[in-house]
Amino acid sequence: MVHVYNCHPYASQQIVQVEQEPGLVCCGGGALFVVTTGGCKVEAYSLDLVGCPLICRFATMGTVRSIQHSNIGDYLVTIEEKNSTTYLRAYTNWRYQAEEKARVGVRLLGHLLRGASQRGGVQMEIIEIPLSERPVAVACCSVTGDLLVGCDKTLVLFTLRRQNQQNLNMQQPSSTQLNSSQSIDQTTHQSWSFLDFERSAILHVAGTKPKQVALCAGYVAMQADLEVLVLKLDTTPEPNDLEESSEAPRNDQADDQTDFLLIPRHQELLGERAKDCNVPISIEKTGLEDGGRNTFSYVLFRRFTPDYFQGCSVEETHLHSLKLHPLFTSQSPVDEPTCVFCFFSLPTAGYLYSLKGGVELLSAYQYPEKVLEAVLTDHLLHVVTKSALQCFTVRCAAVAARFEDPYIDTTMRACPPSTLEVCALRIQLFIGLQSVCAYGRHVILLSTADTETPEETERNTQRRSLSKKWMISTPKESNPVGHGWNLYVVDTVSPLTLYKEMVEYSQHYAQTNLQAQCLWHLLSEAHLLLRAALLQSSLQQHQSNGDPADSHSEAQVIVQTDGQELEEALRENCAQLGDCFSRGSHRSCHLALPYYRMSGLSVSDVMARNRPQPADPHSYNPGFLFYLKHYLLEETDQHLSQEAADELIDIFSQTEPSQLINVCASPTMINVNPSRTLRILQHLEDTIGVSVALTITMATMLLRLDDLSQYTQLMERHAEMVLVYGFIEEPRLLLQGGDTNIYPTALTQQMVKSQPGVLVAAMVALHENNKIYLEQVDVMFKVLGCEHSLQVDFWEAMLMASSQDAVIQELLFRLSSVYIDRLMQTNSDKLQHKPLARRSLKSADDLINSCTHYGALYPWLTVLSPPHTTSSQHQEAFYKMQSLLCGPSLSVTSVTPLLESLSEKTIWGFSLHLLCATRREQYGYSIEKLLDRCPQAIIAYANHHLQDTYMALWWQKLLPELCSRTRTATDNSILLAALKETLVVVAMETSPAEFLELVPDDGTASYFLPHLLTCSQTHLLA
């Protein structure tokens, strides 16, 4: 479907004063090239100056059948015919023909005219490009300046080379993607450079004959009568050992089909499916592939079937106007466009495809009458019929915007879809139009009109098409009056001017129906028009910033000013689209959010634009409510005034009362009237019943009113775990802010004093439900000043609840650090450290009974327990640290560096170091340390740890140590008791012979004999 809007994209027109009748026309580089009738003379006119004055004229070597201009290199390429022979020629430095008695040099491809040009300066050169086949079509790449020639059976690609007289190095072509005109001064600046071409690839095509070709950034397109094929050329570094055939496959059925008319079926193949098009392609090596090889891939294939409608005969039904159009953004490299589009047209319909990032049909243009030719630009599509110039919108900017901005089509930013239905803006009447071309904002039209009026021509056409029987028509006599012709340059208005007219045009729909489809469609068209202009403006500014010489130029100031005006217009358009979608249907109401965000309007401004009509004061549109809900969910530093906040409460109390809890919890509502809001919440509770989240919200309002008694009653209405569920439902009742800029609410500060256990439980529940992160809770407790108390309680509670190994290890390390830090605060330096304000929520026994990461204390540790001479917090930290080391989860390696600061001189330091050594299975070292410091605990230690594989340590390590220490000790009663217990175990676990080997040589026989007897009896029973 094509929408029609009566806008005015064309500003003015002027007639080019051409002395002879034009035959062919093309444009580029700020110039209009006219091939006069007869085809042997080219005239160049300036498009940038008023009146289009003549720049120069020069003769060609043959009759020109086709002409193209390349902005890169500023050269002309022609297909010429002379003496029934077709030639391909390139004309460089043509601007110097404006000088009198200018010389012209003629040379072959690859042969530079060094002598004459070096002595006499730059001159126009005609480069003869030899081909093995007759050239049919030619195209220039607007990105690199390369040349593509289409022949009957081959496509030949020539690479543009620019060589300098001094070093002949390759130079990158100057960027002219913006169609900026190249003046004679610019050409003089490059006066000592030469252009040449190098044959880089030859593609053999079978099964079709190219009629038109196009080339852009490695994409190659060719067009037959009813077929279009697009390929992508690449160069791979790996050499190919197998020679690729340069001979196209033969069609064995071609001879058998000469007597039949075959009508092909309609076919559209996109992407990888295009290789099934039955058009074989092969690449012939040229020997100039720079060490790599050329490869290609199929991108797009489209075949049409002749249609009999709209007065088009089968002979007239053929494709035309093939073009590959690049689009650059400020982020794209100079030689790599962000997007590449392919356009081609039938007499009755045109088709626009996007090629990069997936092939997609963007638009299908249905023409009201037969179109002769079409030309695509960044902003608009211009088509000509026999009697009119028509203008259509394009979707190139929508595709480029999505490439440039990854946040398009999210809640942050939006853009009209690239598949949005196109519209026709204007039909400008002319007489006898023949062709069209465009450069920048200039549209060039060639008309040749007969003396027969358009009405007579149309009437005769209808009479012939409606005839239902065979008739023999008599030839029409030629009119003696002759022919007339004109060459028009039609200037389009600036995008900003056209945008303003579209906005004014849209007001007609807004006055009749605010939800009309045409309203948002026209505003979307205006949006895409501005985006296309902004892409062009940002690219111009980016290129001007890259040139220090132009940093303060007048042109750059103009570009910056135009960019600011376009950005302001885009914000205005986004506000209008936001209004449109806020009143739209539920299907598209979500688009109001990103468009309002892009407009830069405040919430108060959006509310003012969406106030209901006096006839229905409680009617709010779904898009507006969607925007408000998402805005209130954002963590922002902007606070609404009391008036705006109260109005929001009223809006949701009338439309969606269930959202009032979320509204009140938003940080933007800090200035809301608490007493008024409390009455609304109480009314809501009377309506829907008691809800825990609603109760907490009401308590928050009471807290703002400093009514602590009523606050306490409400908070005690529900059990602690029920309150936790309420905080899970709305976390912002406790925490507000972004990822790092988080801060507690007034309710959280009050709960630190009155309900710390509920607060800790709520934080654990929020973390386990992925509502907050561990670092955010740390920030909150630091702001509250509870990093040494409630924060530790939270870590302990998290250790009981979490099942994530990474979180568990992090918490174990943090808790170990805290416990060891508390142990280092001995009695002597209590004054230097602030004592804990309260006891921990969980004691060591509570943690051992409820958390698997806290292990039961080893029995021998009770012997090592210090006397209760320290503070209760100190004693609690010691027991918890011991429990962690007795548990299964704490990594000893991670905690060892922390223990280095804890001296072994203290009994708790010695205990913890001994636990670490035991966890590392250093039992021999632990036995020695324990016998040195606390021998009364050795038997309990050995009974617990020296079992199974470590049983041999009883007689290999413990028995020798006890015997040795007993001899030398003055008070050896404890050691003798330990030795006796050890001998009992050794006698039970060894044979009599092994036991005798263990008895020391200087031992008393009467002391060891009972144990030897026990060992013998045990061995005999076994």
Side-chain angles (χ1 to χ4, degrees):
M1 178 181 177
V2 177
H3 298 257
V4 179
Y5 302 117
N6 189 23
C7 297
H8 299 77
Y10 303 115
S12 62
Q13 69 181 41
Q14 54 184 327
I15 298 177
V16 183
Q17 302 298 323
V18 183
E19 296 180 359
Q20 298 182 1
E21 180 178 357
L24 296 175
V25 175
C26 76
C27 56
L32 168 64
F33 303 96
V34 179
V35 180
T36 59
T37 302
C40 294
K41 183 189 296 184
V42 177
E43 296 179 348
Y45 298 87
S46 175
L47 290 173
D48 296 330
L49 300 178
V50 179
C52 300
L54 179 69
I55 299 176
C56 66
R57 61 168 57 94
F58 55 89
T60 60
M61 298 180 67
T63 303
V64 178
R65 301 302 182 191
S66 176
I67 184 170
Q68 295 287 334
H69 176 267
S70 173
N71 285 329
I72 307 297
D74 193 26
Y75 67 89
L76 288 166
V77 60
T78 62
I79 297 177
E80 302 177 10
E81 185 176 335
K82 187 174 184 180
N83 298 331
S84 301
T85 305
T86 306
Y87 301 90
L88 181 68
R89 296 186 175 100
Y91 293 79
T92 65
N93 296 330
W94 54 268
R95 295 182 187 267
Y96 286 91
Q97 290 303 106
E99 302 174 6
E100 296 183 0
K101 299 180 181 180
R103 294 187 302 272
V104 177
V106 182
R107 63 180 175 89
L108 280 174
L109 176 76
H111 295 74
L112 298 180
L113 299 175
R114 298 179 181 272
S117 59
Q118 288 179 4
R119 291 192 302 270
V122 177
Q123 61 185 9
M124 187 178 89
E125 288 188 345
I126 303 176
I127 304 174
E128 190 86 25
I129 304 176
L131 296 169
S132 59
E133 293 185 66
R134 182 178 66 90
V136 177
V138 65
C140 303
C141 177
S142 59
V143 178
T144 62
D146 294 346
L147 181 63
L148 178 66
V149 182
C151 303
D152 290 334
K153 296 181 180 180
T154 58
L155 299 176
V156 186
L157 179 64
F158 294 90
T159 302
L160 177 67
R161 303 297 187 189
R162 175 172 287 145
Q163 296 181 331
N164 191 279
Q165 279 190 345
Q166 296 177 356
N167 51 28
L168 296 179
N169 289 331
M170 304 295 296
Q171 296 182 359
Q172 195 67 253
S174 58
S175 177
T176 55
Q177 286 82 359
L178 297 175
N179 291 335
S180 57
S181 61
Q182 297 182 351
S183 62
I184 296 179
D185 294 336
Q186 290 174 321
T187 309
T188 306
H189 180 68
Q190 300 175 348
S191 58
W192 295 103
S193 63
F194 297 90
L195 298 183
D196 200 12
F197 299 93
E198 187 177 83
R199 195 188 317 264
S200 57
I202 302 175
L203 281 74
H204 293 268
V205 184
T208 184
K209 293 185 178 181
K211 297 297 181 65
Q212 272 189 297
V213 294
L215 177 65
C216 180
Y219 288 90
V220 173
M222 63 177 178
Q223 169 192 298
D225 285 334
L226 292 172
E227 294 177 349
V228 172
L229 176 62
V230 181
L231 307 173
K232 179 67 169 69
L233 291 182
D234 294 294
T235 302
T236 58
E238 297 83 5
N240 189 15
D241 297 333
L242 299 177
E243 284 291 335
E244 297 190 46
S245 173
S246 61
E247 181 181 356
R250 287 181 55 85
N251 190 349
D252 297 334
Q253 301 178 357
D255 297 336
D256 299 335
Q257 296 172 356
T258 55
D259 297 333
F260 299 93
L261 176 61
L262 298 180
I263 299 179
R265 63 185 177 92
H266 180 84
Q267 197 173 20
E268 181 187 40
L269 301 175
L270 307 179
E272 294 182 356
R273 294 179 58 232
K275 64 185 178 181
D276 301 328
C277 62
N278 295 326
V279 179
I281 305 290
S282 60
I283 297 182
E284 177 184 346
K285 284 189 174 182
T286 63
L288 301 173
E289 287 83 2
D290 296 330
R293 66 185 182 96
N294 291 318
T295 60
F296 69 91
S297 57
Y298 290 86
V299 176
L300 166 66
F301 178 76
R302 186 77 186 263
R303 177 187 288 137
F304 297 90
T305 301
D307 293 325
Y308 302 87
F309 60 91
Q310 294 189 358
C312 294
S313 63
V314 178
E315 292 78 10
E316 293 174 328
T317 304
H318 59 83
L319 291 165
H320 59 76
S321 304
L322 175 67
K323 183 177 182 181
L324 291 176
H325 183 73
L327 193 61
F328 289 82
T329 63
S330 58
Q331 301 176 359
S332 57
V334 175
D335 57 347
E336 185 66 26
T338 303
C339 309
V340 177
F341 304 94
C342 179
F343 177 81
F344 49 87
S345 179
L346 286 167
T348 56
Y351 301 90
L352 179 62
Y353 285 86
S354 174
L355 301 182
K356 294 194 71 172
V359 185
E360 179 187 8
L361 175 62
L362 299 180
S363 306
Y365 297 88
Q366 299 298 325
Y367 306 136
E369 53 183 319
K370 185 177 71 174
V371 168
L372 303 178
E373 194 174 358
V375 59
L376 177 68
T377 66
D378 290 346
H379 303 86
L380 300 168
L381 172 70
H382 307 280
V383 303
V384 292
T385 65
K386 192 67 177 176
S387 59
L389 168 65
Q390 301 180 14
C391 178
F392 295 87
T393 56
V394 295
R395 301 288 168 260
C396 301
V399 178
R402 286 166 171 81
F403 273 98
E404 188 177 35
D405 189 354
Y407 290 98
I408 293 290
D409 299 327
T410 65
T411 57
M412 299 300 298
R413 287 185 283 277
C415 178
S418 57
T419 55
L420 183 71
E421 295 173 342
V422 297
C423 71
L425 296 181
R426 187 72 175 173
I427 298 179
Q428 194 81 20
L429 297 179
F430 287 88
I431 299 176
L433 292 180
Q434 296 294 323
S435 64
V436 60
C437 59
Y439 174 79
R441 288 169 49 189
H442 307 293
V443 180
I444 295 90
L445 304 173
L446 173 61
S447 68
T448 58
D450 297 334
T451 54
E452 182 181 52
T453 62
E455 291 78 12
E456 293 175 346
T457 304
E458 183 68 21
R459 192 160 50 248
N460 293 336
T461 302
Q462 294 178 359
R463 187 184 303 117
R464 288 192 295 267
S465 62
L466 294 176
S467 178
K468 296 185 179 180
K469 62 182 180 180
W470 295 100
M471 301 176 61
I472 301 177
S473 59
T474 58
K476 181 176 178 176
E477 297 181 0
S478 60
N479 197 305
V481 177
H483 299 274
W485 48 265
N486 273 313
L487 191 59
Y488 300 96
V489 176
V490 180
D491 293 336
T492 59
V493 299
S494 67
L496 195 59
T497 303
L498 184 56
Y499 158 76
K500 293 178 180 178
E501 185 182 5
M502 286 182 172
V503 172
E504 183 180 356
Y505 195 98
S506 67
Q507 299 305 314
H508 300 293
Y509 297 107
Q511 293 173 1
T512 56
N513 185 4
L514 292 175
Q515 300 182 7
Q517 182 183 6
C518 292
L519 175 60
W520 70 262
H521 185 275
L522 189 55
L523 291 175
S524 298
E525 291 286 2
H527 184 93
L528 293 178
L529 189 69
L530 291 175
R531 278 194 178 273
L534 276 171
L535 284 175
Q536 188 174 8
S537 176
S538 62
L539 185 59
Q540 286 178 337
Q541 186 172 355
H542 177 73
Q543 292 179 345
S544 62
N545 291 339
D547 189 357
D550 296 337
S551 58
H552 301 288
S553 64
E554 182 180 354
Q556 184 179 3
V557 174
I558 295 175
V559 168
Q560 292 177 350
T561 304
D562 292 343
Q564 294 172 358
E565 293 179 355
L566 289 171
E567 290 176 356
E568 180 62 30
L570 185 66
R571 287 191 291 268
E572 177 188 352
N573 174 261
C574 289
Q576 295 166 346
L577 280 170
D579 295 340
C580 189
F581 286 113
S582 69
R583 306 183 185 99
S585 62
H586 288 274
R587 181 180 176 183
S588 58
C589 66
H590 64 281
L591 293 174
L593 174 63
Y595 280 116
Y596 274 141
R597 279 177 170 168
M598 294 165 63
S599 69
L601 294 176
S602 65
V603 182
S604 301
D605 295 334
V606 175
M607 291 168 59
R609 299 169 75 101
N610 287 272
R611 287 197 174 94
Q613 299 295 328
D616 193 3
H618 303 304
S619 174
Y620 293 94
N621 297 297
F624 173 58
L625 296 177
F626 183 85
Y627 163 78
L628 289 180
K629 284 186 284 188
H630 275 263
Y631 172 79
L632 294 172
L633 289 174
E634 292 181 358
E635 301 295 345
T636 176
D637 296 333
Q638 298 179 0
H639 295 162
L640 295 178
S641 63
Q642 179 177 341
E643 180 182 0
D646 290 343
E647 185 178 355
L648 269 180
I649 293 292
D650 292 337
I651 290 174
F652 282 96
S653 65
Q654 296 167 10
T655 56
E656 297 186 43
S658 60
Q659 296 292 328
L660 281 175
I661 298 173
N662 299 330
V663 173
C664 293
S666 173
T668 61
M669 302 290 288
I670 190 67
N671 295 322
V672 72
N673 189 329
S675 59
R676 183 176 180 274
T677 306
L678 182 61
R679 290 194 297 271
I680 296 175
L681 294 175
Q682 289 172 342
H683 176 73
L684 177 62
E685 185 181 54
D686 296 338
T687 304
I688 66 173
V690 177
S691 165
V692 59
L694 180 58
T695 300
I696 298 174
T697 307
M698 294 167 61
T700 302
M701 295 302 159
L702 288 170
L703 200 59
R704 294 186 185 181
L705 294 171
D706 294 330
D707 192 345
L708 293 181
S709 61
Q710 290 292 328
Y711 162 81
T712 305
Q713 292 180 8
L714 281 179
M715 293 298 287
E716 292 178 351
R717 179 189 291 181
H718 303 283
E720 290 187 356
M721 288 309 300
V722 177
L723 290 174
V724 170
Y725 289 124
F727 291 121
I728 294 176
E729 182 179 346
E730 183 46 79
R732 293 182 300 173
L733 292 170
L734 290 176
L735 294 174
Q736 294 178 352
D739 293 336
T740 56
N741 188 27
I742 200 167
Y743 55 92
T745 63
L747 177 63
T748 306
Q749 297 174 7
Q750 177 61 31
M751 291 181 68
V752 171
K753 305 173 186 176
S754 58
Q755 294 174 298
V758 178
L759 178 61
V760 170
M763 291 295 107
V764 173
L766 291 178
H767 182 275
E768 291 304 297
N769 285 274
N770 299 320
K771 302 287 187 180
I772 55 173
Y773 301 107
L774 202 60
E775 293 76 11
Q776 292 177 316
V777 184
D778 294 341
V779 173
M780 184 204 73
F781 282 121
K782 186 176 181 180
V783 173
L784 290 171
C786 304
E787 60 267 29
H788 299 297
S789 54
L790 274 184
Q791 185 177 21
V792 180
D793 293 330
F794 167 74
W795 291 344
E796 293 173 347
M798 274 293 302
L799 204 56
M800 291 187 286
S802 179
S803 59
Q804 304 176 31
D805 185 66
V807 175
I808 290 173
Q809 292 301 322
E810 174 68 20
L811 291 172
L812 288 172
F813 181 79
R814 292 185 180 189
L815 288 171
S816 300
S817 303
V818 171
Y819 298 154
I820 292 173
D821 183 65
R822 290 179 181 178
L823 289 174
M824 293 176 63
Q825 300 175 13
T826 57
N827 294 332
S828 60
D829 56 7
K830 276 186 178 180
L831 297 176
Q832 300 176 12
H833 298 275
K834 181 180 179 180
L836 297 179
R838 56 166 189 81
R839 295 179 62 87
S840 300
L841 295 177
K842 295 286 184 180
S843 65
D845 293 334
D846 295 334
L847 293 175
I848 293 172
N849 294 329
S850 59
C851 181
T852 58
H853 305 291
Y854 287 87
L857 300 182
Y858 299 148
W860 57 272
L861 287 173
T862 57
V863 183
L864 287 176
S865 298
H868 295 278
T869 57
T870 58
S871 65
S872 59
Q873 291 88 355
H874 189 279
Q875 192 78 17
E876 196 72 23
F878 175 61
Y879 285 148
K880 289 179 179 179
M881 190 65 222
Q882 281 185 325
S883 180
L884 282 181
L885 288 172
C886 293
S889 304
L890 180 62
S891 173
V892 179
T893 305
S894 64
V895 78
T896 300
L898 300 176
L899 288 173
E900 291 179 354
S901 58
L902 193 62
S903 174
E904 293 189 24
K905 294 180 180 180
T906 60
I907 193 63
W908 49 81
F910 170 72
S911 173
L912 296 179
H913 281 284
L914 193 63
L915 273 173
C916 287
T918 302
R919 285 284 303 275
R920 289 195 294 265
E921 298 180 355
Q922 298 175 355
Y923 296 119
Y925 170 82
S926 300
I927 289 172
E928 294 177 1
K929 286 293 184 179
L930 201 55
L931 288 174
D932 291 339
R933 295 289 299 271
C934 188
Q936 61 268 30
I938 190 62
I939 297 303
Y941 180 89
N943 284 330
H944 191 272
H945 295 290
L946 304 185
Q947 302 295 328
D948 300 327
T949 57
Y950 298 102
M951 181 63 73
L953 290 176
W954 281 89
W955 55 86
Q956 293 177 357
K957 181 65 179 178
L958 182 57
L959 181 60
E961 284 288 338
L962 287 173
C963 292
S964 175
R965 293 171 184 266
T966 303
R967 294 192 200 99
T968 58
T970 55
D971 183 10
N972 59 1
S973 58
I974 297 177
L975 294 175
L976 285 173
L979 179 61
K980 183 178 180 180
E981 293 291 336
T982 304
L983 288 172
V984 171
V985 174
V986 173
M988 296 294 293
E989 298 295 332
T990 60
S991 64
E994 293 173 340
F995 189 86
L996 284 174
E997 290 291 335
L998 296 173
V999 174
D1001 295 338
D1002 58 348
T1004 305
S1006 60
Y1007 185 83
F1008 291 99
L1009 188 59
H1011 299 288
L1012 177 60
L1013 181 60
T1014 302
C1015 179
S1016 301
Q1017 292 173 348
T1018 304
H1019 185 69
L1020 289 174
L1021 291 176

